[in-house]
Amino acid sequence: MSIGLVLEGGGTRGAYTAGVLDVLAENNIFFQTIYGVSAGACNAVSYISKQNGRNHRIFTEYACDKRYMSFSSLVRTGSIFGFDFMFGELANELLPFDYGEFFKSSMNIMAGATDCETGKAIFFDKKDMKDDLIPLIASSSLPMVTKIVDFKGKHLLDGGVAAPIPIDYAMHDGFVKNVVVLTREKEFFKKKSDVPPMALKMKYRKYPELIKAMLNRAEVYNREKQLCYSEQENGNAFVIEPSQPITIGRYCTKPDMLEEVYCLGVEDAKNKLADLRRFIALNSL
């Protein structure tokens, strides 16, 4: 039986996921298919290429770099993230991404984005990545602070809008058993967005279904999160979540705080390692 790996997004809270995945890789725990959105999808590709520690360095060394993320970039380019830097100089020179290992790996990724025209999630796998990883850019393109990404005839934004915790998509694809990594503690439930509906209508007037999805985002998030825990109660999921609240936002640029979040992910993963091994052993028969 195949077990899926499901990764929540969360911007720089993804430093937690980076810590969890480093522990899994160090213990030779890998999954054939990974469902991820936004930061979860970005973390996943280094996990697939078996570049332990790479995402740790990205969060703690480069998230504070104005070329990586800044409000001046938002004013200048229309995107808070410097995707040209992230998927250009950073991925090719400063912390080279191992495309060769990524593409030859038997592991696959399903990176989720939101289709602006339908307001629904759409997933791209490894064959869609080629050498430019555009689906990762689309998956990470947060509404209001990044540009819409055009790819394969679709207009795309952040996968966290339509599928913030894509466990239901993994289940639909036949992964009855799943390991889920969250970036919010168990008690956290999302409140309605504080973005005024009028601002959404002005920004995305061409995409009414996207506006509906964004206004409904909290409800979808809470439903998917509840599904994770109900599946865990039924023995079908294993959830790794922060053992204490992560207080940073999705745009944190403080290396010391990001290091703390990463270390929390490492600690929580180590504490759950024995139980995780048992879950995998029981469901891999």
Side-chain angles (χ1 to χ4, degrees):
M1 178 184 296
S2 294
I3 301 173
L5 176 63
V6 177
L7 305 177
E8 181 182 355
T12 49
R13 288 191 296 272
Y16 179 85
T17 304
V20 172
L21 294 183
D22 278 353
V23 171
L24 298 187
E26 287 167 4
N27 287 274
N28 201 35
I29 297 175
F30 295 99
F31 301 84
Q32 285 302 109
T33 303
I34 304 163
Y35 289 77
V37 296
S38 197
C42 292
N43 273 312
V45 297
S46 292
Y47 173 71
I48 292 172
S49 65
K50 297 187 177 179
Q51 291 179 275
N52 248 35
R54 182 173 182 270
N55 288 320
H56 177 212
R57 292 189 61 188
I58 289 174
F59 282 112
T60 57
E61 295 179 24
Y62 290 100
C64 59
D65 191 315
K66 291 187 182 300
R67 295 172 295 174
Y68 185 96
M69 177 175 59
S70 67
F71 285 99
S72 62
S73 174
L74 176 61
V75 173
R76 188 176 67 257
T77 69
S79 292
I80 195 170
F81 298 115
F83 288 126
D84 288 344
F85 170 72
M86 294 164 64
F87 292 91
E89 183 179 356
L90 179 57
N92 296 320
E93 299 175 24
L94 300 175
L95 288 176
F97 178 65
D98 192 339
Y99 286 95
E101 181 63 34
F102 174 75
F103 284 111
K104 79 176 184 181
S105 171
S106 61
M107 289 186 280
N108 194 20
I109 181 172
M110 299 296 290
T114 299
D115 185 331
C116 295
E117 294 183 347
T118 67
K120 299 185 181 301
I122 181 171
F123 286 82
F124 300 94
D125 65 13
K126 189 189 293 184
K127 69 178 183 294
D128 296 310
M129 300 288 178
K130 297 183 179 178
D131 292 334
D132 48 23
L133 304 178
I134 289 179
L136 294 186
I137 297 175
S139 185
S140 305
S141 291
L142 303 176
M144 305 300 290
V145 294
T146 56
K147 295 179 180 179
I148 290 173
V149 175
D150 294 332
F151 183 66
K152 287 196 166 185
K154 303 290 185 181
H155 306 302
L156 306 169
L157 280 174
D158 173 35
V161 173
I165 312 170
I167 183 172
D168 44 349
Y169 292 89
M171 293 169 62
H172 179 269
D173 287 347
F175 291 91
V176 179
K177 308 290 184 176
N178 291 283
V179 173
V180 183
V181 182
L182 303 178
T183 55
R184 290 287 200 176
E185 70 276 14
K186 184 175 183 179
E187 295 76 18
F188 175 84
F189 282 89
K190 188 177 287 292
K191 298 178 182 178
K192 288 186 177 181
S193 172
D194 55 4
V195 179
M198 185 58 66
L200 293 176
K201 291 177 182 178
M202 291 177 63
K203 179 77 171 179
Y204 299 115
R205 57 186 178 276
K206 294 182 180 179
Y207 304 105
E209 295 304 317
L210 173 66
I211 294 172
K212 290 179 185 177
M214 291 179 66
L215 293 174
N216 198 39
R217 186 173 186 175
E219 181 180 336
V220 173
Y221 177 90
N222 295 334
R223 183 175 67 245
E224 289 185 342
K225 188 168 185 177
Q226 184 57 48
L227 178 60
C228 292
Y229 287 107
S230 63
E231 285 297 297
Q232 181 166 250
E233 290 175 5
N234 292 332
N236 294 326
F238 186 95
V239 180
I240 302 174
E241 74 280 89
S243 55
Q244 60 190 57
I246 293 178
T247 57
I248 65 170
R250 63 173 64 246
Y251 306 120
C252 180
T253 59
K254 296 182 178 180
D256 56 338
M257 298 179 73
L258 291 167
E259 176 69 19
E260 287 182 9
V261 173
Y262 171 83
C263 289
L264 180 63
V266 169
E267 179 183 1
D268 288 346
K270 287 182 175 178
N271 288 339
K272 289 196 170 187
L273 197 56
D275 289 337
L276 175 60
R277 289 190 187 279
R278 280 191 285 272
F279 175 82
I280 293 172
L282 284 171
N283 294 291
S284 298
L285 301 177

